[in-house]
Amino acid sequence: MSNTPEPKLISGNANMPLAKAIARRMSLHRGVNVDLVDARVERFNDSEVFVEVFENVRGEDMFIIQSTSNPANDNLMELLIMADALRRSSAQRVTAVLPYFGYARQDRRTKARTPITAKLVANMLVGTGIERILTMDLHAAQIQGFFDIPVDNLYASPVFALDIKNEFKGRMDELLIISPDVGGVARARELAKRLNAPLAIVDKRREKAGEVSEMTVIGDVKGKTCLIIDDICDTAGTLCKAAEVLLENGAKEVHAYISHGVMSGPAVERVTNSVMKSLVITDTIAPTDAIKQAPNIRIVPTAPIFAQAILNIWNGTSVSSLFEQDTLGPIYDGMYGDNF
């Protein structure tokens, strides 16, 4: 048992259902009731964020659960102000749990006179006194180096592997993992290795941001059940186009597994009307009613892996052990039973 105080959770407004689910899972894992710390995170009339913590947190090991998803700026400010409130209340340690790390797509200068906003956000988080970051599927792994504090980057692929083995039981030999671009090959290859499945790539060329002018399939997809693997689905235009190209090249059917369902603008409508059989996303971003009602969108929970990761950080034990099927499988036993 750790010498540190009991882990305590607090959440902003970004994804309260996930925060409550993490607390429930921690209660199950520990056999001790874990509740979110009583607090209010509100707005003044001019939209200023105000935070008040109603419980004593002096000397406590605090975990702030807050995705910096839409509205990204509001949720980021909530996180920063909550961290400041906890530090000023003499919390022993503050860990930021960001299921979805917003601004991660701005991780480098792509043109002259553009910012590296991911680094800016990292500086802001560290500047508030946050001592550790726990997140999932950073858009680029090198973002971990933007922080001068420990960063635990969980991966959705082990959870996706469990889901795929359950959903495609008896059809594993016909699966083909697809990377939607060259930059995502490492992520797709890692999942392909877990499933012992082959890999192909959809190479896309953009004339300008948000518009794909041409797509080319690298690899043989004929007769295969294709699983597109990516970390973010925003407007879903590229994803739906990739599914069409794969079918045009002889694929049997197309599914997609995406870590973070940003799903902005026409995304849900596009996915619903697309040729994809299914889109599987996690709940790192709170799903809208439209997402929940979409017939071909399914949500995989992340509360089990985040709850165990928080406990491992608190206990001082390995977080990377959660990447292994033997460790992760039992955590999701209630969902997938003996299929892992």
Side-chain angles (χ1 to χ4, degrees), residues 152-184:
D152 293 302
N153 184 30
L154 299 177
Y155 299 108
S157 59
V159 182
F160 285 161
L162 295 176
D163 189 86
I164 291 167
K165 290 177 181 178
N166 182 70
E167 291 294 318
F168 297 93
K169 194 172 184 178
R171 302 170 54 193
M172 297 297 293
D173 59 339
E174 68 182 45
L175 297 185
L176 178 64
I177 305 301
I178 305 292
S179 174
D181 52 47
V182 175

Side-chain angles (χ1 to χ4, degrees), residues 45-60:
N45 290 334
D46 62 353
S47 296
E48 278 189 16
V49 177
F50 175 74
V51 172
E52 184 176 7
V53 181
F54 296 117
E55 298 181 25
N56 181 25
V57 297
R58 182 179 296 275
E60 300 289 359

